[in-house]
Amino acid sequence: MAEEAKKKGAMSVSEAGRKGGQTVRDKYGHSFYEEIGRKGGETVKAERGRSFYEQIGKKGGDTVKAERGAGFYEQIGKKGGDAVKAERGTPFYEEIGKKGGHKVRQLIEEGKKAASEALAARNEELDEGVAAVGGEVAPALPE
């Protein structure tokens, strides 16, 4: 009798979960899981912030690095690069390289502009004898 009860309830928790997941997938489709995953991710982001994902991503990356070594990332990066090259060809890399170069150039120009504006504002404050950081009054520069 004890054997009959064991056979009847022999399904493990993981097996039951898998069976339930397949039933839901068959009923609602794969996109259902994408939708609820996205909603869950947005909720977690709203509650814990973006930095939470950065923290858990770093933990996961450190775990993988400890288990498989740093060379693992080189291997998967090469695999991904080769797959993209096979799918899109080398002109794709030329195109994104140019876009990246333009973006870097733009960011450098914006940085230089912001730095020169900050310097000009600081010089203007010094010219006017405005209180500097720490409360002291900087003397006006001689002309």
Side-chain angles (χ1 to χ4, degrees):
M1 175 120 181
E3 254 183 59
E4 289 176 21
K6 191 173 183 180
K7 285 183 182 177
K8 187 176 182 183
M11 187 181 293
S12 70
V13 173
S14 64
E15 290 170 329
R18 189 176 309 109
K19 187 175 181 182
Q22 289 171 346
T23 302
V24 170
R25 184 197 61 212
D26 294 344
K27 186 173 182 179
Y28 297 106
H30 179 75
S31 60
F32 171 75
Y33 286 107
E34 293 176 0
E35 184 180 335
I36 63 172
R38 188 171 20 264
K39 286 181 180 178
E42 289 171 2
T43 301
V44 170
K45 183 179 174 185
E47 290 175 357
R48 299 186 178 199
R50 183 171 184 243
S51 64
F52 171 73
Y53 286 107
E54 292 172 1
Q55 290 171 349
I56 64 173
K58 179 155 178 28
K59 283 183 183 178
D62 289 345
T63 301
V64 170
K65 184 178 177 182
E67 290 175 357
R68 299 182 179 222
F72 173 72
Y73 290 106
E74 293 175 18
Q75 292 171 350
I76 62 172
K78 177 143 179 41
K79 277 185 180 179
D82 290 345
V84 170
K85 183 179 176 183
E87 184 179 320
R88 299 186 176 197
T90 51
F92 172 74
Y93 285 104
E94 293 172 6
E95 181 183 332
I96 64 172
K98 287 177 184 173
K99 286 181 181 178
H102 292 303
K103 182 68 173 177
V104 168
R105 189 178 310 113
Q106 177 188 355
L107 292 171
I108 290 171
E109 288 172 7
E110 290 173 6
K112 287 179 179 178
K113 182 179 176 184
S116 68
E117 288 173 358
L119 182 61
R122 176 70 176 136
N123 286 339
E124 190 175 302
E125 288 176 0
L126 290 174
D127 286 345
E128 295 173 0
V130 177
V133 178
E136 71 275 4
V137 175
L141 295 174
E143 295 190 28

